[in-house]
Amino acid sequence: MLSSSVMIRRFCSFTVTASSSSAPCTITSNSKKKRLVFLGSPQVSASVLDALFNASAAQDSLFEVTAIVTQPPTRRDRGRKVMPSPVAQHALDRGFPSDLIFTPVKAGEEAFLSNFKALEPELCVTAAYGNILPTKFLNIPSKGTVNIHPSLLPLYRGAAPVQRALQDGVKETGVSLAYTVRKLDAGPVIALERVTVDDQIKAPDLLDLLFALGSKLLIRELPSIFDGSASGRAEEQDDSKATLAPKITPEESWLSFDEDAQVLHNKVLEVQLPGKRAVNAASFWNGLRGQILKK
């Protein structure tokens, strides 16, 4: 992964021949496959990327993954080493060219947009990318941008749809495949899949399930997205029914045992005491051994 300025030079030399050093980059490709750019960052996004890689490798595939856009490397784990996002790491592990992995701080950076436009993408797919896409970006792909969102839109628009749905104690949720517009998670819905929720499932497990289902929806709908028929039948969302799912704040991770038991249950299946590892509710209860919790 390279900075935008270096990437422009290397990308151009890797894929195109420019008529002069001052001429803008243009793409010349022998492939007849549709050009798809994937945007995502966390591990659940990597599972979607893997599904796209596998589908694109089929002999009758309509598309190829032309480039990947993800969050910049960050310091993670105990060693605080600078590491690429899970999506970037998965792409590198699959042998994807590092020259074609973009890591802009913001998707509106002019150098990035210039480089992105040179790809001549026909479709962008986002899955938990974690960055706002400006109008200048959305205007570039000829077939638009579609997003895998883990809720039944227009319900739970925002950064934490799964956590908020479980917190509210919903009995049903799902995943939506929708076109991306400038307004948050408000684009026309191409397809959705419903899922029944029990009172034992954890947010990470539900998130994995929904993105797995979303990957299948995406692969199924790609032909209609590329031929344009999906945009004609996609259903506009009813904004009057929209609910918001803002990011979970650190303050919300604290529990008040003055709250109703059902509220506490919906907020956690795991509890972590200071200096201890996270455990499920049953283990936490067993570990009390008759002790009294103090506020």
Side-chain angles (χ1 to χ4, degrees), residues 165-208:
L166 293 181
Q167 182 177 318
D168 290 346
V170 301
K171 300 302 179 184
E172 182 185 64
T173 186
V175 60
S176 303
L177 183 66
Y179 284 102
T180 300
V181 295
R182 194 66 181 91
K183 187 177 179 180
L184 181 66
D185 298 325
V189 176
I190 300 168
L192 56 80
E193 187 81 24
R194 298 179 183 273
V195 172
T196 301
V197 179
D198 62 38
D199 60 0
Q200 299 301 316
I201 194 166
K202 301 176 184 178
D205 298 328
L206 182 55
L207 197 65
D208 288 343

Side-chain angles (χ1 to χ4, degrees), residues 250-270:
E251 292 74 21
E252 290 180 279
S253 65
W254 292 95
L255 299 180
S256 171
F257 288 93
D258 294 331
E259 294 181 301
D260 184 85
Q262 188 63 42
V263 173
L264 293 173
H265 176 275
N266 291 343
K267 288 183 70 174
V268 299
L269 286 174
E270 290 185 341

Side-chain angles (χ1 to χ4, degrees), residues 47-285:
S47 67
V48 178
L49 177 60
D50 196 60
L52 286 170
F53 278 151
N54 293 338
S56 67
Q59 289 186 345
D60 59 348
S61 173
L62 296 172
F63 72 97
E64 61 185 358
V65 179
T66 303
I68 293 167
V69 184
T70 187
Q71 294 282 17
T74 57
R75 294 186 182 277
R76 299 200 308 273
D77 298 336
R78 292 184 179 180
R80 304 301 294 167
K81 295 181 179 179
V82 177
M83 301 176 64
S85 74
V87 159
Q89 187 60 60
H90 183 74
L92 293 170
D93 292 343
R94 289 286 302 253
F96 196 81
S98 61
D99 303 73
L100 302 180
I101 301 176
F102 295 73
T103 59
V105 175
K106 294 183 178 181
E109 294 175 6
E110 290 300 326
F112 164 68
L113 287 175
S114 176
N115 199 6
F116 175 65
K117 188 174 183 179
L119 291 167
E120 296 182 355
E122 293 173 75
L123 177 68
C124 288
V125 172
T126 63
Y129 170 45
N131 218 335
I132 296 175
L133 300 177
T135 301
K136 287 183 178 181
F137 178 99
L138 296 176
N139 288 339
I140 292 175
S142 59
K143 296 297 181 180
T145 297
V146 297
N147 178 48
I148 297 176
H149 186 76
S151 81
L152 297 175
L153 291 172
L155 302 180
Y156 298 103
R157 294 175 178 174
V162 170
Q163 294 90 334
R164 296 297 182 185
L166 293 181
Q167 182 177 318
D168 290 346
V170 301
K171 300 302 179 184
E172 182 185 64
T173 186
V175 60
S176 303
L177 183 66
Y179 284 102
T180 300
V181 295
R182 194 66 181 91
K183 187 177 179 180
L184 181 66
D185 298 325
V189 176
I190 300 168
L192 56 80
E193 187 81 24
R194 298 179 183 273
V195 172
T196 301
V197 179
D198 62 38
D199 60 0
Q200 299 301 316
I201 194 166
K202 301 176 184 178
D205 298 328
L206 182 55
L207 197 65
D208 288 343
L209 172 62
L210 294 178
F211 273 99
L213 293 175
S215 299
K216 294 179 180 179
L217 274 184
L218 173 65
I219 300 303
R220 188 189 78 191
E221 297 295 336
L222 276 177
S224 65
I225 295 171
F226 279 122
D227 69 23
S229 60
S231 62
R233 59 178 170 78
E235 295 186 5
E236 296 289 340
Q237 295 185 42
D238 184 349
D239 287 346
S240 68
K241 296 180 179 179
T243 59
L244 299 181
K247 184 179 179 180
I248 303 293
T249 64
E251 292 74 21
E252 290 180 279
S253 65
W254 292 95
L255 299 180
S256 171
F257 288 93
D258 294 331
E259 294 181 301
D260 184 85
Q262 188 63 42
V263 173
L264 293 173
H265 176 275
N266 291 343
K267 288 183 70 174
V268 299
L269 286 174
E270 290 185 341
V271 180
Q272 185 172 15
L273 292 173
K276 303 291 184 179
R277 64 183 180 87
V279 295
N280 61 33
S283 298
F284 176 73
W285 177 255

